[in-house]
Amino acid sequence: MLDLLVRDDALDTLRRTFPVAVGAYEMPAGLTGLVIIDEVNGFAGVGCGPLAPPAPNAQIARMIDETDRLARRFVEAGWPICASLDSHDPGKPEPPYPPHCIAGTGHDELVPELKWLETAPNTTLIAKDCINFFVGATGKDGKNRLVDWINRHRLESVVTVGICTDICVMDFVLTLLSARNHGMVPTLKDVVVHEPGCATYDLPMEAVRELGLPETAAHPQGPAHHMGLYMMASRGALLSDAVR
């Protein structure tokens, strides 16, 4: 209970010290794409590996529900969707994380609530083997499938959801903002992070100490989620709580 109170106090302090503006976003009709980051079993399925939630988690459940709702809206409208699938070859490490989302285990597949996207129209699935989806979308031929997807659809807006807010989602968004500013995606104007569709994991300090991990491994869910949002907004991303 004391740990929960400490984390609540920390989150309140962060919100006061690092405020973020979250509001409704008006999507350009026909010129908006949805990017879903890593909503796979290995990150969002209960008990599916070392980086998955050990028990049902309200923030992750909300993320999946909101992603499903938003994705169905995009499919109905005929707008493009691109989903990254974290997928690793056995024996190829990704420090500092333990082996996770190993190809062929099912942990690198979409959570059951989103499996329907595998056969949905206007949906592109891209496997990646690194934290950053933008980097992971680059093939051995040097071509970037994500850049090609944005440019092929001449997107003016990309709405992003997924896990983890402060890791894979943040790395992707910050890199996409740089790519936009560099002129790699000429039509792109808005990079939007849809907050209800994002989540991160929870590893409180007391659990870190019980596991014998260094204190830097502590990752309280609420504060980490907020700081991810703050860093993305501070670099130019738009934060939404509703998209219309």
Side-chain angles (χ1 to χ4, degrees), residues 15-227:
R15 286 172 171 165
R16 291 194 302 270
T17 309
F18 302 101
V20 297
V22 183
Y25 178 72
E26 297 286 344
M27 297 187 293
L31 298 172
T32 301
L34 176 65
V35 171
I36 302 170
I37 302 292
D38 292 348
E39 295 195 32
V40 297
N41 292 314
F43 291 145
V46 175
C48 292
L51 300 185
N57 181 277
Q59 189 185 82
I60 292 174
R62 180 189 71 156
M63 172 194 74
I64 294 171
D65 288 346
E66 184 66 9
T67 298
D68 179 70
R69 186 194 67 79
L70 198 55
R72 291 183 186 279
R73 178 179 171 189
F74 269 70
V75 168
E76 183 178 348
W79 297 355
I81 298 172
C82 184
S84 74
L85 308 176
D86 200 65
S87 181
H88 298 269
D89 292 334
K92 185 178 179 181
E94 187 184 31
Y97 302 104
H100 60 278
C101 299
I102 303 301
T105 63
H107 292 180
D108 58 333
E109 297 178 4
L110 289 167
V111 294
E113 296 88 339
L114 300 176
K115 284 284 285 184
W116 63 272
L117 282 167
E118 293 179 351
T119 57
N122 299 315
T123 298
T124 300
L125 305 182
I126 301 177
K128 70 177 182 68
D129 63 353
C130 67
I131 296 168
N132 192 318
F133 178 33
F134 194 99
V135 173
T138 303
K140 294 181 180 179
D141 58 1
K143 295 182 179 179
N144 189 290
R145 293 182 63 191
L146 180 72
V147 170
D148 291 345
W149 176 77
I150 293 172
N151 290 337
R152 182 170 67 253
H153 292 287
R154 301 185 61 79
L155 298 178
E156 291 185 4
S157 171
V158 166
V159 175
T160 308
V161 296
I163 192 168
C164 291
T165 316
D166 56 315
I167 305 174
C168 293
V169 174
M170 185 175 74
D171 277 18
F172 164 71
V173 167
L174 297 186
T175 308
L176 182 58
L177 287 166
S178 292
R180 178 200 66 183
N181 295 347
H182 191 58
M184 294 175 66
V185 280
T187 60
L188 187 63
K189 297 177 182 177
D190 294 340
V191 179
V192 182
V193 179
H194 186 51
E195 188 276 332
C198 293
T200 192
Y201 68 95
D202 189 50
L203 186 61
M205 181 63 74
E206 62 180 18
V208 165
R209 289 169 177 159
E210 289 174 2
L211 293 168
L213 298 173
E215 291 192 349
T216 52
H219 192 274
Q221 187 177 50
H225 179 72
H226 180 82
M227 287 309 299

